[in-house]
Amino acid sequence: MDAAISGISAGDSRRLSVRAAFPLMIEMEREHGSLIRAMMARRREGLSRLVSFDGGLSTLVEALRARIDPMLRAGRAARAATRRNGVWRIEREDGQAVEADWLVLALPAPRAVPLIAGENPELAATLSAIPFAKVAMVALAYREADVPRSLDGYGYLVAPSEGSDVLGVVWESSLFAERAPAGHVLLRVMLGGARHPMVAGREEAELSAAARAEMAVTLGIAAAPERTWVRRWPEAIAQYERGHLERVATARAQAARSGSLDLCGASYDGASFAGAALSGERSAERVVAAIEAARGGARSPGGARRDAPRDAAHLRRAADAGVPAAAQVLVANPARTHPQRRADSAAADPDDRDHARAAPRSTVDPGAIRVAARASDPRAGRGASVAAHASRRRGSLACARRL
C-alpha cells in the first residue's frame, strides 16, 4: 500500500491525510469491508482504467480555448491582483491589465501566492503552507528488441523501503500504443517525491543515468535508449497532509473576506484529473450562485433563476465549461495552460520523426471541461495487467499477471 500511495501522490504516506488525499479508500472499505475486496469488486465491474487524450493533455486546453474563446487568454502571465471599489484588477507581465467582478484562482497554490500577497497577505500565508512534492520524469525510447522481457502491464511502483530515488515506471507504449512508433517502446521513469525532494534538482545527465540504471536492474535493459527526455516539476503534486481540509477551509474563508474571490484546482480538492475538474465545476457553481444571489434572484431546484434576465444566460454556459463568465478572466499558470506543443518533434531531424512521435506530452492543470478521452481498458488487449513494485534485493520484478 505504501508503494501505491507514494506512486500516486509522490508523497510520504506517514504524513498524508487519508480523508483528504484518498477519500475513496474510506468509502471502499466502508462498502466492502476491506480495500482488497473493494479493488477486486471494482475490477469485476470494469471501474479500473487509465485514460488519456490522443494528442496529450494539451488537448484539454485547446478544447477549452475553442469553447470559450475569447474569454480564455492563455500564455499571458498574471503578475498581481488587487481589488478596488468592488472590481478586481489583474495586472499582466506585458503591462496590460484586465478588470473583473469576480476572480477565480485556478492555478497551483504556490503560483497564486505572489498574485494575491499584496491584496490578502493572510490568504497568501495560508496558501504558502500547502506543501508540494518535487518530481522529475525521464522518458526513455528503446528498440523493442533491446527489452528482454514482455511489457504486458501498466508498469510498476517502487516501495519506499527500497531506498530508491525512483517512484515508479510507467510502460507508456503498453498503455497507449500510439505513443511510440512500431518496433519501439516508451518508458517513463518518475523520480523524487516528498521523501527525496532534492532529486528533481539534479542535472539532466544524472537523472538520465539514474533512470537507465533502474531499467538495467529491473528490466535487464543493457542497451542505450534511442532517445531520452527529461522534465522537472518543482511543484508537481500538492501534498494533502494531515490538516489539509482545515487549511483549505481557512483559505476559502480568507478569500471570501476579500470579496468576489474563489479558489479551485488540484491544490485544494483532489490531485487527480477528475478531482481538479470537479473542483472547477463547484467553483463555477459558487460564483454563479453568489452573482445571482447579489442580484436578488432565487434559484430553482434545477439551478436556474426563476427571474433571471436574458443577459445572464452566458453565466450558465460558462458554468458548464467550469469557468465563470462574469469573471471574464481565468488566472492560470502560463507554463501549464500554454504548453509548447511537441517541441521535441519540431526540433527533430527529418529522419528522426518516428522517435519524435514518442516525445512526452506537456502537462496541464485541467480545470473543468468535458472532452472525450481515449481509455486503456485493463480487461482487454495490451495493458491488461498491473505490475507490482520492483525488488532490488531479489533483482527481479514482481508482476501481477493478467487474470
Side-chain angles (χ1 to χ4, degrees):
M1 185 59 69
D2 201 13
I5 290 173
S6 63
I8 294 169
S9 68
D12 185 342
S13 61
R14 299 167 297 184
R15 302 178 61 88
L16 295 177
S17 163
V18 175
R19 194 161 56 99
F22 302 102
L24 182 59
M25 284 188 177
I26 298 176
E27 180 184 334
M28 290 165 63
E29 187 175 30
R30 183 183 299 117
E31 182 178 349
H32 297 278
S34 79
L35 292 178
I36 293 177
R37 282 198 292 268
M39 287 187 286
M40 293 175 65
R42 287 173 65 84
R43 186 178 181 85
R44 286 194 299 269
E45 296 166 8
L47 298 178
S48 176
R49 65 177 186 172
L50 299 180
V51 299
S52 185
F53 298 103
D54 285 339
L57 290 179
S58 61
T59 302
L60 184 70
V61 176
E62 298 303 328
L64 181 60
R65 184 204 302 274
R67 183 167 182 175
I68 66 172
D69 187 69
M71 287 184 288
L72 178 64
R73 299 164 187 174
R76 303 180 186 183
R79 183 179 60 188
T82 55
R83 190 169 187 263
R84 298 291 182 272
N85 300 319
V87 176
W88 282 99
R89 178 180 174 85
I90 296 88
E91 298 178 10
R92 300 200 313 238
E93 288 186 347
D94 60 8
Q96 298 185 28
V98 178
E99 291 188 343
D101 297 321
W102 269 82
L103 174 62
V104 175
L105 296 177
L107 67 170
R111 303 292 184 184
V113 169
L115 290 181
I116 205 68
E119 178 66 27
N120 192 329
E122 218 181 18
L123 173 59
T126 300
L127 298 185
S128 296
I130 298 177
F132 275 71
K134 302 176 182 180
V135 174
M137 184 278 297
V138 179
L140 303 168
Y142 288 100
R143 292 189 311 139
E144 194 169 12
D146 291 332
V147 181
R149 62 152 290 146
S150 175
L151 301 179
D152 57 346
Y154 293 158
Y156 63 88
L157 301 171
V158 179
S161 59
E162 297 288 342
S164 173
D165 293 335
V166 176
L167 294 168
V169 180
V170 179
W171 297 344
E172 188 82 10
S173 52
S174 293
L175 287 169
F176 308 107
E178 73 281 357
R179 297 291 170 90
H184 293 77
V185 300
L186 179 64
L187 308 176
R188 288 177 185 255
V189 184
M190 312 303 295
L191 306 99
R195 299 196 194 210
H196 305 279
M198 305 305 294
V199 171
R202 293 176 182 170
E203 296 294 328
E204 287 194 8
E206 189 175 357
L207 290 170
S208 297
R212 289 184 59 184
E214 174 69 21
M215 296 300 92
V217 169
T218 58
L219 298 181
I221 302 176
E226 297 282 294
R227 288 199 63 176
T228 301
W229 300 265
V230 178
R231 301 288 185 269
R232 300 184 184 87
W233 288 278
E235 297 153 355
I237 303 175
Q239 297 300 290
Y240 293 2
E241 296 183 352
R242 291 187 295 274
H244 176 80
L245 296 179
E246 293 76 14
R247 187 178 294 115
V248 170
T250 297
R252 288 205 163 108
Q254 293 167 339
R257 287 196 283 273
S258 281
S260 304
L261 176 64
D262 200 47
L263 307 169
C264 71
S267 296
Y268 314 106
D269 304 314
S272 69
F273 187 102
L278 182 59
S279 178
E281 290 180 355
R282 288 175 174 169
S283 176
E285 290 170 358
R286 288 193 296 268
V287 172
V288 171
I291 292 172
E292 293 181 341
R295 291 179 178 177
R299 293 176 69 92
S300 69
R305 280 175 52 193
R306 295 188 181 93
D307 61 342
R310 292 170 65 98
D311 64 0
H314 71 287
L315 295 177
R316 284 183 289 277
R317 287 197 299 271
D320 289 339
V323 179
Q328 296 296 306
V329 64
L330 177 64
V331 179
N333 179 354
R336 292 186 179 225
T337 59
H338 192 63
Q340 182 179 356
R341 290 174 295 168
R342 301 200 180 192
D344 296 290
S345 298
D349 295 332
D351 60 352
D352 201 22
R353 287 174 185 163
D354 279 347
H355 294 302
R357 288 183 61 231
R361 310 299 202 264
S362 299
T363 302
V364 299
D365 196 3
I369 189 171
R370 296 180 180 88
V371 183
R374 182 179 181 88
S376 177
D377 190 337
R379 297 173 299 169
R382 300 173 73 185
S385 63
V386 181
H389 72 274
S391 172
R392 280 156 188 74
R393 287 188 291 271
R394 295 192 304 270
S396 63
L397 184 68
C399 180
R401 292 290 181 181
R402 197 173 342 200
L403 297 178

